Amino acid sequence: MELEGRLVTETGEPIANQEVAFAIGEQTVTTTTDDDGAFSLTYRPTTLPLETSSLEIQYEPAASTEYARSARPSRSPSRRRSRP
């Protein structure tokens, strides 16, 4: 699956040029955002049914980053789109 999205702070500022890690199930996938906070990554599910066509993912910044203060994952998950 190809996953794409954009990470922004609570005020709408892009989380630009940052290495980010997504925990999806028991896997961790790492990618880097661009100048606009956009990212894409390839996820190879190992425990999902074959007919799965979309996933909801959520980014939670590490507590040691400046973005941890502005993140509210339960209110605004990253936008996502998947393609099998």
Side-chain angles (χ1 to χ4, degrees):
M1 293 183 146
E2 291 293 321
L3 303 172
E4 301 174 335
R6 182 171 182 253
L7 296 178
V8 298
T9 65
E10 189 174 61
T11 61
E13 295 296 314
I15 298 177
N17 305 308
Q18 296 292 312
E19 184 174 286
V20 293
F22 294 90
I24 307 172
E26 295 192 19
Q27 295 181 19
T28 299
V29 182
T30 304
T31 190
T32 303
T33 60
D34 67 11
D35 292 341
D36 197 36
F39 69 90
S40 64
L41 58 93
T42 300
Y43 169 67
R44 303 212 187 290
T46 58
T47 59
L48 296 174
L50 289 175
E51 63 274 3
T52 300
S53 62
S54 66
L55 291 172
E56 184 169 325
I57 61 170
Q58 197 164 332
Y59 170 71
E60 295 186 34
S64 61
T65 68
E66 65 184 286
Y67 303 112
R69 292 183 300 278
S70 65
R72 296 187 187 267
S74 61
R75 285 183 38 203
S76 56
S78 63
R79 288 187 280 165
R80 71 270 175 212
R81 180 176 31 174
S82 63
R83 286 181 244 142

